[in-house]
Amino acid sequence: MDKLERIYLWIATVMLGIFMMAIIYSTLVLSIRIPSDKGKIIVKPGESLVQSVFQTPPFDHPGLYKRGEKEYELVIVGQAWAFNPADIEIPLNSTVRIKATSLDLQHGFYIASTPVNIMLIPGEITVFEYKFKKAGSYRIICNEYCGMLHHAMTGTITVK
Amino acid sequence: MKTTLTAYSVVQHPLHFDLCEIDRKLILGMILVGFGSLALGVFLGLLQAFNYAGVGLYQFFPGLKSYYHGLTLHGVLNGFVFPFAASNGFLSLTTIRGLGLRMPPFLLFLSLFSLIVGTGLSFYGILFGNSAVLYTFYVPMRAHWSFYVGIAFLVISTWAISLAQLVTLRKWKKEHPTDRIPLLAYASILTYIMWDISSIGAAVEDLFLLLPWSLNLLPGSDATLTRTLFWFTGHPIVYFWLLPVYVSWYFCLPAQVGAKLYSDLMVRSVFVAFLILVPVGFHHQYADPGIGLFYKWAAAVLTFGIAFPSLVTAFSVVYSLEMGGLSRGGKGIFGWVKQLPWKDPSVCAQILAGLAFLPGGMTGIMHASVNMDLLLHNTSFLPGHFHLTVGAAVALSLVGIAYWLVPYLTGKKLWGRSVARWQPWIYFFGVLIFSSGQMSGGVLGMPRRTALALIPYEPLAGWKISGTLTAIGGSLMFLSFLIFFFVMIMTILFGLKERQADMPIAQLIHGPSLKGSQLIFDKISYWVLLCFALIALLYGPFLITHLPPKLICQPFQGF
């Protein structure tokens, strides 16, 4: 290996190392977290997935619930081709703990211009936290393909 | 920069070479099926680009049924059929050439046959069996059985080539018990071994979970498991698209510009790195529930690791190009760039493809960054990224390869060279405009895989400009393909007879060492074991905690 080659390989290694450190920093210090394994929908023998979802709290009552001072829980059930609930009002500067699942297919739950961009997968419970610091109207978009009316699966969040 | 030329005594590639007539026809068949599928695939791509601009053209093509049927076909043709066929043909040739031995013609025939059957069945499944499941399958959305059988045949066509390579390598080793494996064959064979291992995930999913389910033999499906199995294959498939192009960049391109290949050790380590680092698929599931953080972070680290061999490749390829430019009389730091044979459409296409790979690789690293993915996941940023990688680095390079490969295989001179030399430029600027449209839209929340022309709400701010750029870029890409296909058809039909002596293969500057630690590179089974160990470490815990499959999802047909 000659000198030029060695220098190049070192630059490449250090560069990738710096990138990796930046991601670790953003996770540990800036607390930017991704979804992980936070519970499943248990389907009993003889039941369908749809029945089980509606018998598993909190998905028996989708909606927005106050859980403390400036703290809310948003329970979302996605199905072809709608979110339940689809239009949500959230007070400004509140932290929202989203709990979501899907009744039938894979769906996406993406609130445009926020990092809330999570997957709803049948049988799995997605948990994600976000604080809404800007007032305004946000569009919810299903961004994971879910059939012929996928593009019509949408909703709104109003923060005020 | 001074380059030391070492006199090397080992013959790198067999000198007297003639491709056998039957092999020539079979390989040509694969290449034609590949580019034929691409022709239909890019037409569908044009319709999709217009969809992003809010213009729905699907009503004019009632056979297509919907945007999503078109998208499924686009993915299957351009993501499976075209790269599989091109790799099968090109890497068969390089293996035969590298080892100087024929591959079993029966296996080549089996490969071509499976390719045609697979293409036909999946085409039927999508358009007549109503299987708009996209190329990522999207369980519990269910396709017609013919779709799953078609996909299986497409994979079998690649396995047949791999088997043929291994049989031939075994024969070669018997004849040369103490020699290093010729580098060209080494790279070609490792590409297929990497793919054999990485295709296991989707193959298991397709044959044991989806096909029986589509025949009503299973009560339901398991969304998380099938997703994980698919992405086990669905990321390394990217390297299966890319590595044949690397073979061309390492071996053919330097020869075409009158240069040499830098080092044997470098090429072997690059291909071994791609083989070991197969299990990176979890990085497609950063936003998924049901997958623990261990898998996601491990995949992130491995994905950064796999950027490394590509950086090494960039070094080696640019080094060769510089040498070529200097040997043609280039002066100064950048003077060599001008001296490269830009008028040769094959060289021009591959260099521009390499340039497009630069932003492609950078955006790939952005996607691999675990939590940054939350901003980009499933937005149109992603198609922006992979049209620079597979859509430019791979597709445009394969087009470049075709400019010498089709004349080589047909014995006809390339028709319309003066027209063809502009084609790579049109494509290059087209794909840059296309991708900047897709990426800027993605940052503004524009979703991918969505019939944007039909959305029931006002497009968000900036989407219209991004969509328009997408359509302009897509039209340029399509136009350049029209030129390419016209040149190819004219070459095949009316090209002047001209036997090309040999394919372009570069000589090495630093050859292989015949003793010492480097010999371990040729012990391919060690690297395969290492790869399986890494897979066990990453996918083992997931499978142990997840299995048996939870077949709770009812089949769903969204139409």
Side-chain angles (χ1 to χ4, degrees):
Chain A
M1 217 187 280
D2 71 13
K3 197 174 149 201
L4 195 68
E5 196 179 356
R6 261 203 306 274
I7 295 172
Y8 180 84
L9 293 183
W10 270 110
I11 294 174
T13 313
V14 169
M15 187 180 74
L16 290 173
I18 292 173
F19 291 169
M20 201 69 224
M21 297 311 274
I23 307 169
I24 294 172
Y25 175 83
S26 70
T27 305
L28 295 181
V29 182
L30 307 177
S31 314
I32 302 171
R33 302 285 158 78
I34 52 173
S36 73
D37 200 0
K38 291 281 172 66
K40 294 184 191 304
I41 304 284
I42 307 295
V43 180
K44 295 190 198 97
E47 262 182 5
S48 73
L49 178 67
V50 177
Q51 286 169 322
S52 307
V53 168
F54 284 129
Q55 284 166 21
T56 308
F59 301 107
D60 44 355
H61 292 97
L64 185 75
Y65 300 96
K66 194 165 177 152
R67 294 285 187 242
E69 192 57 38
K70 292 275 178 194
E71 275 176 29
Y72 289 83
E73 183 172 286
L74 175 59
V75 181
I76 292 275
V77 176
Q79 64 184 87
W81 291 286
F83 295 107
N84 178 17
D87 298 300
I88 305 148
E89 254 189 48
I90 296 173
L92 187 63
N93 282 325
S94 46
T95 305
V96 179
R97 192 174 167 82
I98 301 165
K99 284 188 180 171
T101 190
S102 163
L103 274 190
D104 42 28
L105 293 161
Q106 300 179 25
H107 298 289
F109 184 79
Y110 173 44
I111 306 175
S113 68
T114 73
V116 183
N117 190 354
I118 50 183
M119 293 288 305
L120 314 185
I121 292 179
E124 305 283 354
I125 298 171
T126 318
V127 179
F128 194 80
E129 227 173 62
Y130 183 66
K131 187 173 180 182
F132 288 88
K133 291 180 201 160
K134 256 192 195 161
S137 174
Y138 296 81
R139 176 139 310 271
I140 307 173
I141 298 167
C142 169
N143 64 7
E144 187 66 293
Y145 173 62
C146 60
M148 283 305 113
L149 290 178
H150 159 56
H151 49 271
M153 186 164 167
T154 179
T156 56
I157 285 185
T158 313
V159 178
K160 57 180 176 189
Chain B
M1 190 178 314
K2 259 171 66 185
T3 51
T4 35
L5 299 175
T6 44
Y8 193 71
S9 57
V10 175
V11 176
Q12 269 307 300
H13 308 289
L15 287 175
H16 303 288
F17 177 74
D18 257 321
L19 188 60
C20 169
E21 203 49 41
I22 300 168
D23 301 358
R24 188 190 298 276
K25 281 191 180 136
L26 288 171
I27 291 174
L28 181 63
M30 295 171 196
I31 298 292
L32 291 183
V33 172
F35 280 101
S37 313
L38 181 71
L40 183 55
V42 295
F43 170 68
L44 296 163
L46 180 71
L47 300 188
Q48 279 149 235
F50 274 101
N51 163 69
Y52 274 101
V55 183
L57 297 172
Y58 291 85
Q59 68 270 29
F60 302 115
F61 304 95
L64 271 182
K65 298 200 172 99
S66 78
Y67 169 79
Y68 300 108
H69 289 80
L71 186 56
T72 309
L73 210 51
H74 179 73
V76 168
L77 292 174
N78 288 8
F80 291 146
V81 182
F82 167 59
F84 286 7
S87 302
N88 287 352
F90 180 51
L91 293 192
S92 293
L93 176 67
T94 55
T95 309
I96 294 172
R97 182 68 185 84
L99 294 176
L101 287 175
R102 280 190 72 188
M103 300 217 292
F106 166 71
L107 287 174
L108 288 183
F109 175 76
L110 178 71
S111 170
L112 179 59
F113 175 78
S114 324
L115 189 72
I116 294 171
V117 172
T119 310
L121 276 176
S122 41
F123 187 87
Y124 174 85
I126 294 164
L127 288 190
F128 301 97
N130 240 338
S131 309
V133 296
L134 307 196
Y135 107 121
T136 36
F137 301 174
Y138 285 107
V139 175
M141 196 144 351
R142 191 163 78 168
H144 191 254
W145 62 264
S146 56
F147 177 80
Y148 299 123
V149 177
I151 300 294
F153 268 103
L154 291 178
V155 176
I156 288 170
S157 87
T158 60
W159 288 350
I161 296 294
S162 186
L163 184 62
Q165 285 180 330
L166 294 176
V167 169
T168 316
L169 179 64
R170 205 189 164 90
K171 200 172 149 201
W172 183 88
K173 273 189 174 161
K174 272 197 188 133
E175 292 171 13
H176 306 79
T178 54
D179 287 0
R180 298 291 306 270
I181 302 172
L183 192 57
L184 178 61
Y186 184 85
S188 315
I189 293 170
L190 245 62
T191 301
Y192 268 85
I193 295 177
M194 184 281 299
W195 168 245
D196 292 340
I197 299 171
S198 47
S199 58
I200 295 171
V204 167
E205 178 195 1
D206 188 78
L207 290 177
F208 298 113
L209 288 169
L210 302 188
L211 182 59
W213 177 55
S214 73
L215 296 168
N216 285 321
L217 300 174
L218 285 178
S221 65
D222 182 333
T224 299
L225 181 65
T226 50
R227 230 178 124 75
T228 307
L229 286 174
F230 183 85
W231 288 120
F232 175 82
T233 301
H235 196 79
I237 198 176
V238 167
Y239 307 123
F240 183 52
W241 296 335
L242 193 61
L243 291 188
V245 164
Y246 276 14
V247 168
S248 171
W249 289 358
Y250 274 124
F251 294 92
C252 306
L253 188 59
Q256 287 174 298
V257 301
K260 299 198 173 196
L261 164 57
Y262 186 64
S263 115
D264 178 276
L265 175 62
M266 219 171 189
V267 178
R268 282 187 214 254
S269 13
V270 162
F271 280 82
V272 159
F274 277 111
L275 171 62
I276 299 170
L277 293 172
V278 156
V280 290
F282 277 121
H283 75 212
H284 283 252
Q285 293 170 284
Y286 287 155
D288 279 24
I291 309 283
L293 289 177
F294 161 72
Y295 309 106
K296 294 177 179 177
W297 277 94
V301 173
L302 292 181
T303 311
F304 272 73
I306 214 162
F308 197 75
S310 284
L311 286 165
V312 175
T313 304
F315 174 87
S316 183
V317 173
V318 174
Y319 195 98
S320 290
L321 289 176
E322 181 180 359
M323 239 193 309
L326 291 177
S327 74
R328 296 167 144 266
K331 297 263 181 310
I333 302 181
F334 293 110
W336 56 271
V337 177
K338 253 176 77 182
Q339 294 302 321
L340 291 170
W342 291 101
K343 284 184 186 165
D344 179 345
S346 172
V347 171
C348 180
Q350 294 186 65
I351 296 177
L352 292 180
L355 276 180
F357 195 40
L358 220 68
M362 286 194 269
T363 46
I365 288 177
M366 288 163 73
H367 278 291
S369 306
V370 193
N371 42 21
M372 186 155 171
D373 181 69
L374 290 175
L375 294 176
L376 308 172
H377 177 73
N378 273 346
T379 65
S380 65
F381 195 93
L382 210 89
H385 152 71
F386 69 68
H387 278 83
L388 288 169
T389 54
V390 62
V394 175
L396 187 54
S397 288
L398 289 174
V399 161
I401 294 168
Y403 280 131
W404 66 258
L405 184 60
V406 170
Y408 174 78
L409 291 171
T410 53
K412 305 268 181 83
K413 201 174 168 213
L414 183 67
W415 182 93
R417 221 178 154 80
S418 51
V419 188
R421 62 173 287 212
W422 297 111
Q423 180 270 336
W425 289 102
I426 301 174
Y427 193 83
F428 179 67
F429 287 109
V431 80
L432 287 188
I433 296 169
F434 172 88
S435 286
S436 55
Q438 290 273 281
M439 288 181 184
S440 58
V443 173
L444 298 168
M446 191 157 78
R448 69 189 288 203
R449 299 178 181 130
T450 301
L452 279 184
L454 303 173
I455 48 171
Y457 52 93
E458 261 304 295
L460 304 194
W463 285 15
K464 277 185 179 161
I465 295 175
S466 303
T468 309
L469 282 176
T470 302
I472 294 171
S475 308
L476 285 175
M477 290 157 80
F478 183 70
L479 171 71
S480 97
F481 266 122
L482 284 183
I483 298 173
F484 169 72
F485 287 120
F486 183 62
V487 168
M488 281 297 131
I489 290 169
M490 293 303 278
T491 302
I492 293 169
L493 294 181
F494 305 110
L496 301 171
K497 282 238 179 297
E498 183 195 63
R499 267 274 175 247
Q500 207 171 328
D502 198 357
M503 58 174 284
I505 306 176
Q507 293 291 316
L508 279 162
I509 296 174
H510 302 292
S513 120
L514 292 176
K515 53 178 190 284
S517 55
Q518 283 190 32
L519 293 184
I520 201 167
F521 280 104
D522 287 14
K523 307 253 186 256
I524 297 174
S525 52
Y526 292 9
W527 304 111
V528 171
L529 279 179
L530 193 59
C531 172
F532 274 114
L534 206 56
I535 292 173
L537 216 61
L538 208 60
Y539 280 84
F542 174 81
L543 291 175
I544 289 169
T545 49
H546 189 87
L547 290 176
K550 299 168 184 60
L551 303 174
I552 53 171
C553 302
Q554 304 294 315
F556 188 98
Q557 280 185 308
F559 31 82

